Amino acid sequence: MMKKLKSRLRNFSFLSVLILVFVSCTEQHSWQLSSPDGKLMVTIENVMPENTLLYQVTCRTDTGDIMVISSSPLGIEREDQQFIEGLSFMSASPIESVDERYNLLHGKRKECHDFSNQLILQFSNEQGGLLDVVLRAYNDGVAFRYRFPEEDSVLHTVINEATGFSLAEDGIAFMTPHADAGGRYGPAYEQYYQKEIAVGTPSPNKAGWSFPALFEIHHGRFWVLITEAGLDETYFGARLEQEALNGVYRIRMPDEQEGLGIGDVSPSSTLPWATPWRLIIMGESLKPIVESSMVTHLSPPSVVENTDWIKPGRSTWSWWSSARRPRSFDKLVRFIDFTAEMGWEYSLVDVYWDKLGEGKIRELVSYANEKSVGLILWYNSGG
């Protein structure tokens, strides 16, 4: 009897070790982060044998769970090292609650509440280089960014971002083609949006699709908006590739012709270095998307200390009715008069105001001041 008991104990111990090893392996290759209300879930997987990273986003609704983003690629490549394949899990931070409040001078609301859960996963590549994947889950969406946590004074350059967004192929999209580089004004984010096109439809422009991109998926049951936040001088304003094979939209690198050759279009920085956030805002209607403040939550605070001069207000804009109207002094005066009659704060003077003639813009400013109307002068930032 005693021998049988010892044998069973040994078998049980061996089985326990197997279970512990299995659980340990599972924990090291799959991680989940939920929103504060528990309805949104982002899952990260380190997929064998290439050791690549995939993520997916699900949402629990009253009518059942919805796959918002199915398995999609993560990863980034620098000129000196790649962090797309051969990634080994190093550590996972404790899940932390982000609970911050701040005020805005303008926008959707004055008082904002940044409330989410955060998880940081660290991986190393085959050369020993470190990459952090920083995840945040909000009640109205999820966000992630890459971070190189090591420290050095060497300038590093990103040459590829593998980030993708896989959406249900039965969905429809509302997207604007990104203007091809070149010319005086391109790219200028001025293309018309295409509405209700099938998910995966190629962009008519080689430059791809601009952010933000809006999708209606699962036969109108769910809405998804993809964009970015936290952009700074070390990275590029992102967009999506022209092709979305199998419904997977991927981040596209900038073209060499952008900026008319002024400055380097390749993102570069010393370490540590964090990329902008990739945002996925979602809901069962457009309401949570329109009301979301995730973009400002994930953007750094303003560095402007004195904000007394910033006065938000309503504005007239002559461009709506005549693209070349700013060439006419008399017509601009009429818009200033209309602004004053409406009790609005500003009038926007668009392109060609420099063609008014010597001293005319100063005269226009003086007239606007008499009417207590502020002038906003447009200047092309692309070309």
Side-chain angles (χ1 to χ4, degrees):
M1 179 70 179
M2 196 66 178
K3 290 182 179 179
K4 289 183 179 180
L5 179 60
K6 288 182 179 178
S7 177
R8 288 176 182 174
L9 286 174
R10 281 196 294 267
N11 291 338
F12 178 77
S13 298
F14 179 69
L15 182 60
S16 299
V17 171
L18 284 179
I19 292 173
L20 287 173
V21 170
F22 176 76
V23 171
S24 176
C25 289
T26 301
E27 289 176 348
Q28 290 184 359
H29 290 87
S30 180
W31 303 265
Q32 291 184 328
L33 180 67
S34 298
S35 58
D37 64 6
K39 293 183 177 180
L40 296 184
M41 176 81 73
V42 56
T43 303
I44 302 289
E45 291 183 283
N46 192 359
V47 182
M48 307 291 281
E50 291 84 4
N51 286 83
T52 56
L53 298 181
L54 297 177
Y55 78 100
Q56 65 180 31
V57 181
T58 57
C59 179
R60 189 177 71 246
T61 70
D62 294 337
T63 57
D65 290 350
I66 287 181
M67 180 66 71
V68 182
I69 302 291
S70 57
S71 292
S72 300
L74 293 173
I76 194 166
E77 183 178 2
R78 295 198 317 241
E79 200 170 36
D80 60 320
Q81 297 182 39
Q82 64 89 15
F83 298 84
I84 299 175
E85 296 181 346
L87 298 177
S88 300
F89 171 66
M90 299 298 291
S91 64
S93 72
I95 294 177
E96 297 179 339
S97 175
V98 177
D99 192 350
E100 300 175 351
R101 295 182 183 273
Y102 61 94
N103 292 336
L104 291 177
L105 295 176
H106 61 87
K108 299 176 182 178
R109 55 182 58 87
K110 179 180 179 181
E111 298 178 350
C112 300
H113 187 195
D114 183 357
F115 185 45
S116 65
N117 290 329
Q118 177 171 285
L119 172 65
I120 303 174
L121 302 174
Q122 186 169 97
F123 301 89
S124 68
N125 63 13
E126 294 172 342
Q127 296 173 263
L130 297 179
L131 176 72
D132 290 347
V133 179
V134 186
L135 304 170
R136 283 199 185 181
Y138 290 83
N139 290 340
D140 55 356
V142 300
F144 56 87
R145 75 191 312 182
Y146 305 106
R147 186 173 65 193
F148 303 112
E150 298 168 287
E151 296 187 16
D152 66 26
S153 56
V154 178
L155 201 63
H156 298 272
T157 301
V158 167
I159 59 175
N160 178 34
E161 183 177 333
T163 307
F165 308 87
S166 179
L167 292 121
E169 293 185 66
D170 62 354
I172 59 175
F174 302 77
M175 306 176 71
T176 179
H178 199 83
D180 292 325
R184 293 181 60 193
Y185 306 115
Y189 292 86
E190 292 184 345
Q191 306 295 302
Y192 289 112
Y193 265 78
Q194 297 189 5
K195 64 178 184 178
E196 299 179 345
I197 59 175
V199 165
T201 301
S203 170
N205 296 344
K206 292 182 179 179
W209 298 102
S210 296
F211 277 151
L214 178 67
F215 303 89
E216 185 182 13
I217 61 175
H218 297 297
H219 307 288
R221 290 177 57 203
F222 213 76
W223 291 85
V224 183
L225 184 131
I226 300 174
T227 188
E228 64 180 350
L231 181 65
D232 64 19
E233 72 280 2
T234 67
Y235 218 73
F236 59 91
R239 60 182 185 267
L240 300 171
E241 288 276 9
Q242 180 184 22
E243 300 280 348
L245 299 178
N246 300 317
V248 180
Y249 293 88
R250 295 176 179 268
I251 295 293
R252 189 188 193 285
M253 299 295 290
D255 292 316
E256 293 183 0
Q257 301 91 337
E258 292 181 26
L260 299 182
I262 301 173
D264 190 354
V265 299
S266 300
S268 58
S269 175
T270 56
L271 306 185
W273 183 18
T275 69
W277 293 92
R278 305 302 178 216
L279 278 69
I280 307 167
I281 308 174
M282 62 196 78
E284 294 183 74
S285 68
L286 286 173
K287 182 176 184 292
I289 292 177
V290 172
E291 294 182 350
S292 177
S293 293
M294 279 182 62
V295 171
T296 53
H297 291 342
L298 295 166
S299 296
S302 172
V303 297
V304 179
E305 295 181 0
N306 178 18
T307 59
D308 293 342
W309 58 275
I310 301 176
K311 301 183 185 300
R314 299 151 296 182
S315 178
T316 55
W317 187 20
S318 63
W319 188 271
W320 286 113
S321 56
S322 175
R324 298 183 178 274
R325 179 159 286 175
R327 291 174 182 249
S328 169
F329 180 87
D330 293 337
K331 290 179 179 179
L332 289 175
V333 165
R334 290 173 56 192
F335 266 86
I336 293 172
D337 291 339
F338 175 68
T339 305
E341 291 173 11
M342 295 297 295
W344 295 349
E345 292 80 11
Y346 298 102
S347 184
L348 172 59
V349 182
D350 213 298
V351 65
Y352 301 128
W353 55 265
D354 56 332
K355 308 295 184 184
L356 283 172
E358 185 69 27
K360 282 295 185 179
I361 193 64
R362 294 182 180 274
E363 185 179 344
L364 193 69
V365 171
S366 297
Y367 182 80
N369 287 339
E370 294 175 4
K371 295 284 187 173
S372 299
V373 171
L375 290 188
I376 301 172
L377 303 184
W378 181 91
Y379 191 83
N380 179 39
S381 61

